[in-house]
């Protein structure tokens, strides 16, 4: 799977001079991931503050929408309990949900969205996130735990 995540993480190259400058300016509101030149391992780098910290418990979820204005699709996403509940209140059915540190959920979600075809419902979701929808058939073939396990094994937080 590392070949699948490298293109994602290379978007923010750790050894790029701009990234090095950003690392020295903790007030910048950015997070990124890249290769640690000392260990050769991928790391997640915190450049600033988020409303939720990078270690905050966050759900990575897969929710089915069996009848969204006549369409069927699944939604992958991240969020806390209220976010999952907002989807359920609008007809979503939780298929999979795992609680992990926010940084792991962010990377796993991006990998999933790169691995699977997208589906854009004709009627947008009122709670947003319709760009993170997948075809209905994905529901039985996608295991979010596989992605989380990969992130936990292959990526570490900086300075840990």
């Amino acid at each position: 799977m590392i070949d699948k995540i490298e293109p994602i993480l290379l978007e923010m190259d750790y050894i790029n001079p701009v990234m090095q400058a950003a690392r020295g300016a903790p007030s910048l509101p950015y997070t990124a991931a890249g290769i640690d030149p000392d260990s050769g391992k991928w790391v997640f780098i915190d450049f600033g503050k988020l409303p939720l910290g990078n270690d905050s418990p966050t759900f990575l979820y897969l929710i089915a929408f069996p009848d969204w204005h006549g369409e069927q699709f699944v939604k992958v996403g991240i969020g806390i309990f209220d976010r999952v509940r907002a989807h359920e209140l609008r007809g979503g059915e939780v298929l999979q949900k795992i609680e992990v540190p926010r940084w792991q959920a962010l990377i796993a979600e991006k990998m999933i969205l790169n691995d699977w075809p997208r589906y854009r419902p004709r009627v947008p979701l009122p709670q947003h996130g319709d760009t993170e929808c997948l075809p209905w058939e994905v529901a039985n073939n996608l295991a979010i735990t596989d992605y989380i396990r990969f992130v936990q094994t292959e990526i570490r937080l900086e300075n840990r």
Side-chain angles (χ1 to χ4, degrees), residues 27-142:
S27 63
L28 291 175
Y30 300 118
T31 57
I35 295 175
D36 181 334
D38 296 328
S39 70
K41 295 267 286 178
W42 286 100
V43 296
F44 186 83
I45 304 159
D46 182 4
F47 293 143
K49 304 224 180 288
L50 296 171
L52 290 172
N54 289 318
D55 285 319
S56 296
T58 305
F59 292 115
L60 174 65
Y61 56 80
L62 190 66
I63 296 178
F65 283 88
D67 185 14
W68 180 255
H69 300 274
E71 294 181 86
Q72 292 183 319
F73 57 90
V74 294
K75 162 133 182 47
V76 63
I78 61 172
I80 56 177
F81 176 79
D82 292 346
R83 180 71 172 156
V84 175
R85 188 72 185 130
H87 288 300
E88 289 179 306
L89 290 172
R90 290 170 176 90
E93 300 171 7
V94 177
L95 300 176
Q96 299 174 51
K97 180 174 76 171
I98 185 169
E99 190 174 27
V100 294
R102 185 172 174 79
W103 71 271
Q104 292 178 9
L106 287 165
I107 293 173
E109 180 194 42
K110 182 105 176 173
M111 290 176 64
I112 290 167
L113 291 171
N114 282 352
D115 277 356
W116 296 89
R118 302 281 183 96
Y119 179 87
R120 188 81 183 258
R122 287 186 300 270
V123 177
L125 296 167
Q127 65 277 25
H128 307 294
D130 47 289
T131 58
E132 290 90 25
C133 294
L134 310 170
W136 182 254
E137 300 75 35
V138 170
N140 295 322
N141 299 309
L142 171 61

